[in-house]
Amino acid sequence: MPLRILCILTLIGLSGCHDANSPDKKTALVQVGVVTLKSQPFTYTSDLTGRTTATLTSSVLPQVGGIIQRRLFKEGDEVKAGQPLYQIDPSSFKATYDQAAATLQSAKALVIADCQQARRYSILVKEQGVSQQNADNATATCGEDRASVAEKAAALESAKINLGWTRITAPISGRIGISTVTPGALVTADQTTALTTITALDSMYVDLTRSSVDLLQLRKRALATNSSTLDVTLTLEDGSVYPEKGKLELTEVSVDEATGSVTLRALFPNDQHILLPGMFVHASVDEGVIENAILAPQQAITRDPKGNATAMVVDANNKVVVRNVITSATSGEDYLIVSGLQAGDRVIVEGTTKVSAGEVVKPVETRLSATSSTTQGAA
């Protein structure tokens, strides 16, 4: 009897050991790092390249021919509109002017004599002191003399203008360039080579190029923000950022039919004359603000061999769901999401290789480093 009891107790002990190591015990859930997406304002920008162009430039050309006597400016200086730049020898033009003035005086004297005679004849013809023919001839001569005075006055004015053109002045205000002539050089009125060039530098254009398709999107974003001009930030050739922001004029565009490219013109203030014509620059165009944008960390987005983007999302039941998403641009370490994700979604950023669709996981909120809220669009 005691032996029988001992066997029963032994069997009970073995049964207890078997229960402790039973495979029916629940397995621990896989822990994954997630980020909960939130909507936020988002500034959409595009990076473009271009060159600076002067808003105003003028080639200085002679209006009359002659020998350059003096150069009246220093190369590279700022000049004002109307400032004398060159002096052409005025001797022959002064003589022509004096001759035209004397001819005018002679014509005026002739008007006095002939018109007085015409007045006398008009009185005498009534008394039959002269014939009607002589009176008519005198009146006609008076009229011819008056016309001659007008002609001689015009010739004098022309001579005065030519004499004035012997002093070549600045047509615009700006910085003057290198002179192509020196005192003693012969210039002509019909020459095509400029004596020098003046460039206005207080403001500067930046001409940017982009595809016409991108331009349509640019216009839509501009209309969405109710703005006819968009802010533009410049990065110069040395990598420094230009301190002044410019404005993009959407109306100043031209489409190249051969390439489908569009030229956009931005206007920048340039009081310090940092920008010079012909400089190569990078421009960042603020195209509009998306009020409720969704940004997802780049490490949450994977792509298949065809380039299609997907993301793993943890649903309300902590089950993994695979979403097809469409991205638009990058913003720091994030993608701008066009579709597939929304605010409140928990996307997996850590442990994606350990889980699969439909699996229940243990989500842990992960804090990633802050990223920029400004996109870098396609050029």
Side-chain angles (χ1 to χ4, degrees), residues 5 53 67 99 104 140 329:
I5 294 173
T53 304
I67 302 296
Q99 181 181 7
L104 177 60

Side-chain angles (χ1 to χ4, degrees), residues 61-310:
L61 292 165
Q63 300 295 314
V64 294
I67 302 296
I68 297 291
Q69 283 187 329
R70 290 180 296 162
R71 191 185 76 194
L72 306 173
F73 67 93
K74 183 179 179 181
E75 295 170 325
D77 275 358
E78 294 290 328
V79 297
K80 299 293 184 182
Q83 178 178 329
L85 303 178
Y86 296 94
Q87 178 62 59
I88 296 176
D89 184 2
S91 301
S92 60
F93 298 97
K94 181 63 168 61
T96 301
Y97 174 81
D98 292 342
Q99 181 181 7
T103 303
L104 177 60
Q105 291 299 322
S106 176
K108 287 180 177 180
L110 193 59
V111 165
I112 293 173
D114 289 345
C115 289
Q116 284 180 347
Q117 184 178 15
R119 284 193 294 270
R120 288 195 299 268
Y121 278 16
S122 65
I123 296 173
L124 292 174
V125 74
K126 297 177 182 178
E127 301 173 354
Q128 298 183 349
V130 294
S131 66
Q132 185 64 47
Q133 182 64 50
N134 289 336
D136 291 343
N137 290 342
T139 300
T141 300
C142 176
E144 291 175 356
D145 290 345
R146 290 183 186 277
S148 179
V149 166
E151 180 183 359
K152 300 302 187 292
L156 177 63
E157 183 64 23
S158 178
K160 181 180 179 181
I161 292 173
N162 288 335
L163 179 60
W165 277 340
T166 61
R167 169 136 324 176
I168 302 174
T169 59
I172 62 172
S173 298
R175 182 175 295 179
I176 197 164
I178 297 174
S179 176
T180 61
V181 296
T182 59
L186 174 66
V187 296
T188 60
D190 57 352
Q191 72 178 54
T192 57
T193 302
L195 305 182
T196 188
T197 301
I198 301 173
T199 304
L201 298 177
D202 289 340
S203 59
M204 191 70 62
Y205 287 132
V206 175
D207 291 336
L208 309 168
T209 56
R210 72 184 308 166
S211 71
S212 57
V213 175
D214 289 341
L215 177 65
L216 295 176
Q217 296 298 324
L218 173 61
R219 287 184 179 275
K220 290 179 181 178
R221 282 189 280 269
L223 292 174
T225 58
N226 195 27
S227 175
S228 60
T229 57
L230 303 176
D231 289 336
V232 184
T233 302
L234 281 189
T235 301
L236 305 181
E237 293 172 301
D238 62 356
S240 62
V241 177
Y242 185 65
E244 298 280 352
K245 281 197 172 185
K247 293 292 184 181
L248 186 67
E249 301 295 335
L250 295 180
T251 55
E252 294 183 4
V253 297
S254 59
V255 180
D256 187 333
E257 296 181 1
T259 62
S261 63
V262 180
T263 299
L264 305 177
R265 174 159 281 185
L267 179 63
F268 283 81
N270 192 35
D271 296 337
Q272 302 301 318
H273 296 177
I274 297 174
L275 299 178
L276 298 175
M279 292 177 66
F280 179 80
V281 294
H282 291 270
S284 178
V285 183
D286 294 343
E287 298 185 358
V289 177
I290 303 174
E291 294 297 337
N292 297 304
I294 301 298
L295 299 178
Q298 291 187 24
Q299 63 200 77
I301 306 299
T302 58
R303 296 185 183 275
D304 60 23
K306 294 183 179 180
N308 299 318
T310 60

Side-chain angles (χ1 to χ4, degrees), residues 22-92:
S22 174
D24 296 336
K25 186 178 180 180
K26 292 184 178 180
T27 307
L29 299 178
V30 177
Q31 179 175 301
V32 293
V34 298
V35 171
T36 302
L37 302 182
K38 299 178 181 179
S39 61
Q40 57 185 293
F42 181 81
T43 302
Y44 199 105
T45 67
S46 288
D47 284 339
L48 306 173
T49 58
R51 289 195 179 273
T52 56
T53 304
T55 56
L56 194 61
T57 184
S58 176
S59 298
V60 179
L61 292 165
Q63 300 295 314
V64 294
I67 302 296
I68 297 291
Q69 283 187 329
R70 290 180 296 162
R71 191 185 76 194
L72 306 173
F73 67 93
K74 183 179 179 181
E75 295 170 325
D77 275 358
E78 294 290 328
V79 297
K80 299 293 184 182
Q83 178 178 329
L85 303 178
Y86 296 94
Q87 178 62 59
I88 296 176
D89 184 2
S91 301
S92 60

